[in-house]
Amino acid sequence: MTEHQNLDVLVVGAGFSGVYHLYKLRKAGFSVKVFEAGSGLGGVWYWNRYPGLHVDSDFSIYQFSLEEIWRDWNWTEKYPGRQEMIEYFDYVDKKLDLSRDISFNTRVTSASFNTTTNRWSVFTDTGVTVNPHFLILCTGFASKPLFPDIPGLDTFQGAVHHTSLWPEFGLDITEKRIGVIGTGCSGVQVIQEVGPIAAHLTVFQRTPNHAVPMMNQRPLSAATQIKMKEEMYPILFKYRQQTFGGFEFDRMPRGVFDLSPEERYLLFDDLWSKGGLRFVHGSCNDILTNEKANAEVYSFWRKRVLERVRDPEMQRKLAPEKPLHPFGAKRISLEESYYEVFNQPNVVLVDVNENPIIEVTAKGVKTRDGVVHELDVLVLATGFDALTGSISQIDIKGTDGISIGDKWKKGLSTYLGLAVEGYPNMFIPYGPQGPTAFCNGPTCA
């Protein structure tokens, strides 16, 4: 790409949002390019490759709604895994001829708005500079890894990997002593995957995850999907745009206490048996706004979890009588065998609220009680500088010359989660103050 090229639009990031914007803008006649820091398409699916990684939405809605894409593509399982997502993006790339307008291995480092030309000047780590009229940041809400500030982390003599920066060609973890810090979505998936094959597993938990069962994870036949494409697919793609979270289901138009105790039980039991995020986003319309209604849902969830965990101390840590936060206030994770892992004799669960991590030593993780949990592999499932981090890590200066990261330190402010005052013609399709973290990605991005 020629330096200082004048473009109509520059898109940053080649995940679902970036790819879709490239397709639509190019089709509308705009000159548009995409800069992508990675060497392939997929966004979060390119960067994350840890063991057990799967989609948390049904295959039918976790895809592009373009018929030219879904007509000839068939999924192999209900909740696709990471490798299938990479194959899907490769298919989309070839189908839409996307790569010709994407600069891979090109990280945007800074951008500033020129009030004379009314264009952005965008700089990259490769030395390429472009001057688009419009800047669209499709950087995702979880793309800047968050590393824990633990003394001695760099002294550990075993392998240390953040879940979002897992080795490209994998890591042999069979019969290893493994430690996992964090029990968010990636932590849950890693724990249930490595638990059965580890020599020993130590989990360091700050907040119990209100994980719900994935249920019905199964192979899919081409015949089933061909039939769905005849009528169901177009309906689902339209319907997902009408729902609270962009899913194939929606909240009921009734509150928890509009139902009798018997009706509530039968509803919760039905949602639980169907599995997935339906238990939260397909339930009563007040479970996220009414504290007592929320407590009813948590009580049902807790009872089901306690049935699967044998040890009383594990039960107390994984499903406390009083939750640390309202049910569903954090994005719900899906699991298949997460709670059963904690029945294994070789698994230890450390509550870091009661027994904090003091330091990491050459041999492992030392907690306040003086115990050094000796490890071969330390997994940092510590999440991301979410929502704002992927944007503020770029030095973006608006009309007043202030970096957006500095601006947001004084208080986060956007216009409808899409734009920021003082940063003209810059758009954020999937960022802070949008439905982002509680929405099906392909619907909202």
Side-chain angles (χ1 to χ4, degrees):
M1 181 182 293
T2 306
E3 290 194 14
H4 304 291
Q5 180 177 357
N6 289 335
L7 294 168
D8 292 329
V9 187
L10 176 70
V11 176
V12 182
F16 269 105
S17 184
V19 165
Y20 188 72
H21 278 85
L22 172 59
Y23 168 79
K24 296 294 284 188
L25 291 167
R26 195 167 66 181
K27 195 171 182 179
F30 291 93
S31 60
V32 54
K33 297 292 181 183
V34 175
F35 285 173
E36 165 57 47
S39 60
L41 300 180
V44 67
W45 298 105
Y46 170 84
W47 294 104
N48 286 264
R49 49 179 72 96
Y50 58 81
L53 176 57
H54 277 83
V55 170
D56 64 2
S57 298
D58 188 277
F59 73 96
S60 61
I61 59 162
Y62 203 85
Q63 59 179 315
F64 290 109
S65 60
L66 303 170
E67 184 172 355
E68 58 195 291
I69 297 298
W70 56 255
R71 179 58 63 187
D72 297 322
W73 175 266
N74 289 314
W75 299 95
T76 64
E77 56 184 350
K78 184 175 176 64
Y79 297 96
R82 189 262 178 180
Q83 184 55 42
E84 185 162 20
M85 292 306 304
I86 293 299
E87 292 169 3
Y88 175 69
F89 273 99
D90 184 57
Y91 163 79
V92 172
D93 185 13
K94 292 181 173 62
K95 199 77 172 178
L96 302 182
D97 190 22
L98 298 172
S99 285
R100 64 182 170 90
D101 287 315
I102 302 175
S103 293
F104 293 105
N105 302 306
T106 304
R107 183 177 294 275
V108 173
T109 56
S110 63
S112 58
F113 188 77
N114 187 318
T115 55
T116 301
T117 62
N118 287 330
R119 285 180 176 271
W120 284 92
S121 294
V122 183
F123 304 89
T124 68
D125 62 354
T126 64
V128 171
T129 303
V130 294
N131 304 109
H133 272 302
F134 299 94
L135 178 61
I136 303 181
L137 300 175
C138 299
T139 49
F141 81 96
S143 60
K144 182 183 179 183
L146 193 63
F147 290 85
D149 184 17
I150 303 175
L153 188 58
D154 58 346
T155 67
F156 181 58
Q157 294 181 352
V160 182
H161 296 289
H162 194 284
T163 48
S164 71
L165 297 171
W166 201 259
E168 183 175 359
F169 299 105
L171 180 70
D172 183 12
I173 53 179
T174 305
E175 291 299 314
K176 297 290 178 63
R177 297 170 300 174
I178 300 171
V180 179
I181 299 178
T183 55
C185 179
S186 59
V188 166
Q189 293 188 94
V190 167
I191 288 164
Q192 67 180 12
E193 188 77 9
V194 306
I197 61 174
H200 190 275
L201 173 65
T202 305
V203 177
F204 300 90
Q205 171 188 279
R206 180 182 63 181
T207 309
N209 195 311
H210 296 163
V212 298
M214 182 175 281
M215 294 293 194
N216 303 313
Q217 170 67 318
R218 62 183 188 276
L220 297 170
S221 68
T224 296
Q225 294 172 78
I226 289 171
K227 185 173 180 59
M228 290 180 68
K229 291 171 186 178
E230 293 175 0
E231 187 173 36
M232 184 64 73
Y233 266 28
I235 292 172
L236 284 176
F237 292 134
K238 288 181 180 178
Y239 181 65
R240 73 179 185 180
Q241 294 179 327
Q242 303 168 27
T243 67
F244 172 75
F247 299 104
E248 76 277 22
F249 47 80
D250 202 5
R251 298 179 297 177
M252 295 173 54
R254 300 178 71 185
V256 168
F257 298 107
D258 292 334
L259 308 176
S260 69
E262 295 77 20
E263 288 175 316
R264 286 200 297 273
Y265 177 87
L266 292 173
L267 171 64
F268 293 165
D269 184 69
D270 179 61
L271 295 173
W272 187 268
S273 65
K274 289 178 179 176
L277 298 174
R278 184 180 269 100
F279 187 70
V280 178
H281 298 298
S283 187
C284 297
N285 61 10
D286 61 350
I287 67 170
L288 298 179
T289 57
N290 183 308
E291 188 174 354
K292 291 184 178 179
N294 190 273
E296 285 287 309
V297 177
Y298 179 78
S299 177
F300 182 93
W301 171 87
R302 180 172 181 266
K303 181 179 179 181
R304 289 303 171 94
V305 169
L306 296 183
E307 291 170 353
R308 297 167 58 187
V309 181
R310 292 194 293 266
D311 182 72
E313 186 64 9
M314 288 289 191
Q315 291 179 338
R316 183 184 69 83
K317 293 177 180 178
L318 292 168
E321 186 174 349
K322 183 177 181 180
L324 274 67
H325 60 80
F327 190 86
K330 290 188 176 183
R331 186 180 176 115
I332 296 293
S333 300
L334 301 191
E335 57 82 28
E336 293 181 89
S337 58
Y338 176 67
Y339 293 104
E340 283 73 14
V341 167
F342 294 96
N343 292 327
Q344 297 177 199
N346 63 332
V347 175
V348 171
L349 176 59
V350 178
D351 184 335
V352 298
N353 298 296
E354 301 171 349
N355 190 18
I357 294 172
I358 300 301
E359 63 176 337
V360 175
T361 70
K363 292 185 176 181
V365 176
K366 183 178 181 180
T367 45
R368 189 171 63 183
D369 59 3
V371 174
V372 175
H373 302 268
E374 296 190 0
L375 307 169
D376 301 307
V377 179
L378 179 57
V379 180
L380 304 178
T382 47
F384 302 88
D385 183 356
L387 297 172
T388 57
S390 58
I391 299 167
S392 61
Q393 68 179 334
I394 305 171
D395 183 19
I396 304 173
K397 291 184 170 66
T399 54
D400 56 6
I402 298 176
S403 175
I404 197 165
D406 291 334
K407 184 182 182 73
W408 281 344
K409 286 178 182 177
K410 300 176 182 178
L412 178 60
S413 178
T414 70
Y415 177 70
L416 299 178
L418 291 172
V420 182
E421 181 188 9
Y423 299 79
N425 298 338
M426 184 184 81
F427 300 99
I428 310 167
Y430 196 55
Q433 297 185 337
T436 313
F438 294 93
C439 180
N440 174 51
T443 304
C444 297

